[in-house]
Amino acid sequence: MSRPTIGDQELALLHYLAEHEPASVGEVAAGFGEARGLARSTVLTMMERLRGKGYLKRRQARGVYRYSTATGPAEAMRRAVGSFVEKTLSGSVSPFVAYLSERAEVSDAELAELESLVAQLQSQRKER
C-alpha cells in the first residue's frame, strides 16, 4: 500500500529528523520548531501525522518516545513530486520540463543529473 503524500512543512521536518534521529518531540520542537515559530504541540501533531502516514516510527526509551525515520526524505520527495505530476499536471511532465527550461537557474550539477536521468529513461525504453 502506498503512503499518503506530505506537505512542505512535513517534508522539512522529515529532513530535520533524518539528520538528528532518534529524537524526542522536545528535541525536535527546540531544534526545528522554534526557528519556525511552531509550538511544541504543533511539532508533536506533525510528528504523529507523519508516523500515522508511515514516514516516522517511534520507540520508547526511559519513558520518552524517540522518533526516527521509517523512510528517507528522498522517498517522501519522490512521492510528493509524483502526486504533483499526477494531480496537478494530469500525469504530464512536459509542463515541469518547460518550467525548468524557462527558469534558467538550473546549476551545472542539476543539468548533468537531468541528462543522466534522460539517458536512463532512453536506455529503459530500448530494453522494452
Side-chain angles (χ1 to χ4, degrees):
M1 187 169 110
S2 68
R3 289 187 176 94
T5 58
I6 63 176
D8 294 343
Q9 191 82 292
E10 289 175 318
L11 185 59
L13 189 149
L14 191 59
H15 274 283
Y16 177 85
L17 195 55
E19 295 174 7
H20 299 90
E21 63 185 343
S24 69
V25 173
E27 292 165 349
V28 176
F32 174 83
E34 284 181 14
R36 292 166 175 75
L38 302 175
R40 182 186 187 284
S41 59
T42 302
V43 172
L44 171 61
T45 299
M46 289 173 63
M47 291 173 74
E48 282 300 309
R49 284 185 181 159
L50 285 169
R51 190 170 74 90
K53 293 177 181 180
Y55 290 99
L56 295 181
K57 55 187 175 185
R58 72 178 188 189
R59 198 178 91 234
Q60 194 169 21
R62 297 186 188 109
V64 175
Y65 284 115
R66 313 261 329 149
Y67 290 78
S68 57
T69 57
T71 153
E75 181 183 336
M77 180 65 77
R78 279 191 297 276
R79 291 182 185 280
V81 169
S83 176
F84 173 77
V85 168
E86 291 303 317
K87 293 178 183 175
T88 306
L89 303 179
S90 301
S92 174
V93 295
S94 296
F96 181 70
V97 174
Y99 164 78
L100 288 177
S101 71
E102 295 166 4
R103 184 178 113 182
E105 294 177 18
V106 177
S107 71
D108 290 341
E110 289 172 321
L111 185 57
E113 186 177 355
L114 289 170
E115 289 171 340
S116 174
L117 290 169
V118 168
Q120 183 180 357
L121 285 170
Q122 289 173 334
S123 175
Q124 288 172 352
R125 286 187 121 186
K126 289 177 184 176
E127 291 174 3
R128 290 182 197 168

